[in-house]
Amino acid sequence: MAQALHIVIVGGGSAGWMSAAAFARALHPGRYRITLIESEEIGTVGVGEATLPHIKTFNDQLGIDEAQFMRETRATFKLGIEFRNWGEPGDRYIHPFGVFGAPWGGVDFQHHWIRARQLGQQIASFQEYSYAIAACRRNAFEFPHRARKSIRATYAYAYHFDAGLYSDFLRRWAISRGVRRIEGQVRDISLDESGAIESLLLQSGARIEGDLFVDCTGFRSLLLGSKLGVQWEDWSQWLPCDRAWAVPCQRAGEFTPYTRSTAQTGGWIWRIPLQHRTGNGYVFSTRFIGEEQARDTLLGQLDGAALAEPRLLRFKPGRRIRAWARNCVAIGLSSGFLEPLESTSIFLIQAAVSDLLRLMPSPERGRVVDPRLADEFNRLSDIQYARVRDFLILHYFANRRHGEALWDYVRSMPIPDTLVHKISLFEGRGHVPYYKDGLFSRDSWLAVLFGQGLMPHAYDRLADNLSADQVGQLLRELRQAIASNVTTIPSHAEFISRYCADLQSERAVMS
Ligand code: FAD
């Protein structure tokens, strides 16, 4: 039998430990060996508390017990994101992890809604036709029902968690399944005659050889960027924010099952409720506001007393032009970062990990990588980044905050052609992107397009197959179904205390 392929992961943030855990779960231990090098001295970015529903699939695939995970990472549930003041001051809308309405007569819901509106029917705002939004407004949570036809099955959920505790959790999980952890700092990187990475020299003097290197060194991008020289593509012309102040505060105010994002003069502020505290941050552009002013604004908007000094994080929106070069694959911040809006980074890690698993080199070839694998990985990564980029830009571009420098700039900047196309299809016909895999779903686009105040001029003509009366009746029934079901759901706080407490009592019985 051929020697096992040695995978060396450098970096122990979320990217490093998510990669290590997924590899340990999926790869045959006789054919793949996994080592992770991390440096306590350097540390991690330590933010990244809001996620998308895909994270549940990731955890489920590892076989992680959800209640235990939630207890250990102090997690809460997330049904979506509330955007305040993004269209214009005073506006509010929610981007839910759920659907709007249903495809009546095989035609997507938004077309029926636009038609009813154009017919002058007395209908509610688009937001009123989502069950997940109704649950958010009540600060309520329950698991989606299994009966697929139920209105209570029309959403998914994600988590808010303490990112440091999540890495700790995965570290224990991965080590107990055979991942070797080395504490140390990489000081030098040696290449072989073909230009592939051969070994890493640690500060301690130890030399670590490997076949496939996974660069999870965060913004440093030590292997892919610094050593292999893969260039950075700057996207700051579309995403001008380049700093964030982050600060936790005492838990107070509403215990929301959603993240809140409030637009500000120089960017936006996030609010993320965890079980034991609330995470807050001001993401801003130094072209439009000074660091000190941003810090003071953030501290002035906390629900409770700050629990630490605010921490300043610097970043550049963009990505490496290739995430896989030679025998090195960058995952996480080392491959790119757009900005925290819509909480996409952990999803991008997850997508890269699952693509890499599917394209994993075979042990027989050692360090020599089949270029077709790398090309395919890079193609998939390009698609993911470009789609997320367009979605994020939409939030900024479609604003009506006139007379504020940042918002005037993003409203008038040239946007990517791919986004121009998406907006014009929506305005012309009510159509939105529909991807089989990856981000973002049709309903996510609808939430933000309508939420930011865009309105189509026309709708899909197939919607005319239903009579106006039928549509009016269906819309009324849908709202009634939402209203009568949502009142019976427990509050988010109640649900969490019961779910996590159940685990404690189960354990007490078992021990
Ligand atoms: P890091 O956490 O920076 O880890 C890098 C690792 O590399 C560390 O272990 C470090 O010790 C190690 N390392 C570096 N150099 C060396 C060396 N020479 N030798 C050995 N080890 C080394 N994502 C979301 O999904 N949701 C969010 O809500 C969210 N919010 C964010 C807010 C902000 C302001 C920022 C900046 C990011 C946010 N992110 C969010 C992104 C998220 O934080 C990251 O995607 C995630 O933490 C993964 O980071 P990482 O593992 O790639 O890098």
Coordinates of all heavy atoms in Angstrom, one line a residue, residues 49 247-252 254 270-274 276-280 303 307:
E49 N -18.9 35.5 14.9 CA -19.8 34.9 15.8 C -21.2 34.6 15.2 O -22.0 33.9 15.8 CB -20.0 35.9 17.0 CG -18.7 36.2 17.7 CD -18.9 37.0 18.9 OE1 -19.8 37.9 18.9 OE2 -18.2 36.8 19.9
V247 N -16.5 44.8 20.4 CA -16.5 44.8 21.9 C -17.7 44.0 22.4 O -18.8 44.1 21.9 CB -16.6 46.3 22.4 CG1 -17.9 47.0 22.0 CG2 -16.4 46.4 23.9
P248 N -17.5 43.1 23.4 CA -18.6 42.4 24.0 C -19.3 43.3 25.1 O -18.6 44.1 25.7 CB -18.0 41.2 24.6 CG -16.6 41.6 24.9 CD -16.2 42.7 24.0
C249 N -20.5 43.1 25.3 CA -21.2 43.8 26.5 C -22.1 42.9 27.2 O -22.4 41.8 26.8 CB -21.9 45.1 26.0 SG -23.5 44.7 25.2
Q250 N -22.5 43.4 28.4 CA -23.4 42.6 29.2 C -24.7 42.3 28.4 O -25.2 43.2 27.7 CB -23.8 43.3 30.5 CG -22.7 43.1 31.5 CD -23.0 43.9 32.8 OE1 -23.9 44.7 32.8 NE2 -22.2 43.7 33.8
R251 N -25.3 41.1 28.6 CA -26.5 40.8 27.9 C -27.7 41.6 28.5 O -27.9 41.6 29.7 CB -26.8 39.3 28.1 CG -27.7 38.8 27.0 CD -28.1 37.3 27.3 NE -29.5 37.2 27.5 CZ -30.1 36.1 27.8 NH1 -29.5 35.0 27.9 NH2 -31.4 36.1 28.0
A252 N -28.3 42.4 27.7 CA -29.5 43.2 28.1 C -30.3 43.5 26.9 O -29.9 43.1 25.8 CB -29.0 44.6 28.7
E254 N -33.4 43.1 24.1 CA -34.1 41.9 23.5 C -33.2 40.7 23.3 O -32.0 41.0 22.8 CB -34.7 42.3 22.2 CG -35.8 43.3 22.2 CD -36.2 43.6 20.8 OE1 -35.4 44.2 20.0 OE2 -37.3 43.3 20.4
W270 N -22.9 45.8 14.2 CA -23.5 44.5 14.4 C -23.9 44.3 15.9 O -23.2 44.9 16.8 CB -22.7 43.4 13.9 CG -21.6 42.9 14.7 CD1 -21.6 42.2 15.9 CD2 -20.1 43.0 14.5 NE1 -20.4 41.9 16.4 CE2 -19.4 42.3 15.5 CE3 -19.4 43.5 13.4 CZ2 -18.0 42.3 15.6 CZ3 -18.0 43.4 13.5 CH2 -17.4 42.8 14.5
R271 N -24.9 43.6 16.1 CA -25.3 43.2 17.5 C -25.7 41.7 17.4 O -26.6 41.3 16.7 CB -26.5 44.0 17.9 CG -27.1 43.6 19.3 CD -28.4 44.3 19.6 NE -28.9 43.9 20.9 CZ -29.7 42.9 21.1 NH1 -30.0 42.0 20.1 NH2 -30.2 42.6 22.3
I272 N -24.9 40.9 18.2 CA -25.1 39.5 18.2 C -25.3 38.9 19.6 O -24.4 39.0 20.4 CB -23.8 38.8 17.5 CG1 -23.6 39.3 16.1 CG2 -23.9 37.3 17.6 CD1 -22.4 38.8 15.4
P273 N -26.5 38.4 19.9 CA -26.8 38.0 21.2 C -26.2 36.6 21.5 O -26.6 35.7 20.7 CB -28.3 38.0 21.3 CG -28.7 37.8 19.9 CD -27.7 38.3 19.0
L274 N -25.4 36.4 22.5 CA -25.0 35.0 22.9 C -25.6 34.7 24.2 O -26.3 35.6 24.8 CB -23.5 34.9 23.0 CG -22.6 35.3 21.8 CD1 -21.1 35.0 22.1 CD2 -23.1 34.6 20.6
H276 N -24.3 34.3 27.2 CA -23.7 35.0 28.3 C -23.3 36.4 28.1 O -23.0 37.1 29.0 CB -22.5 34.2 28.7 CG -21.4 34.1 27.6 ND1 -21.8 33.8 26.4 CD2 -20.1 34.3 27.7 CE1 -20.7 33.8 25.6 NE2 -19.6 34.1 26.4
R277 N -23.4 36.9 26.9 CA -23.1 38.3 26.6 C -23.6 38.7 25.2 O -24.1 37.8 24.5 CB -21.5 38.5 26.6 CG -20.8 37.6 25.6 CD -19.3 38.0 25.5 NE -18.5 37.1 24.8 CZ -18.4 37.1 23.4 NH1 -19.2 37.8 22.7 NH2 -17.6 36.2 22.9
T278 N -23.4 39.9 24.8 CA -23.8 40.3 23.5 C -22.5 40.8 22.7 O -21.8 41.6 23.3 CB -24.8 41.5 23.5 OG1 -26.0 41.0 24.3 CG2 -25.3 41.9 22.2
G279 N -22.3 40.3 21.5 CA -21.2 40.8 20.7 C -21.6 42.0 19.9 O -22.7 42.1 19.4
N280 N -20.7 43.0 19.8 CA -21.0 44.2 19.1 C -19.8 44.6 18.3 O -18.6 44.3 18.7 CB -21.3 45.4 20.0 CG -22.3 45.0 21.1 OD1 -23.5 45.1 20.8 ND2 -21.9 44.6 22.3
D303 N -26.1 47.8 24.5 CA -27.2 47.5 25.3 C -26.9 47.6 26.8 O -27.7 47.9 27.7 CB -27.7 46.1 25.1 CG -28.4 45.9 23.8 OD1 -28.7 47.0 23.2 OD2 -28.6 44.8 23.3
L307 N -17.7 44.8 28.4 CA -17.0 43.8 29.2 C -15.5 43.7 28.9 O -14.8 43.0 29.5 CB -17.6 42.4 28.9 CG -19.1 42.2 29.3 CD1 -19.7 40.9 28.9 CD2 -19.2 42.4 30.9

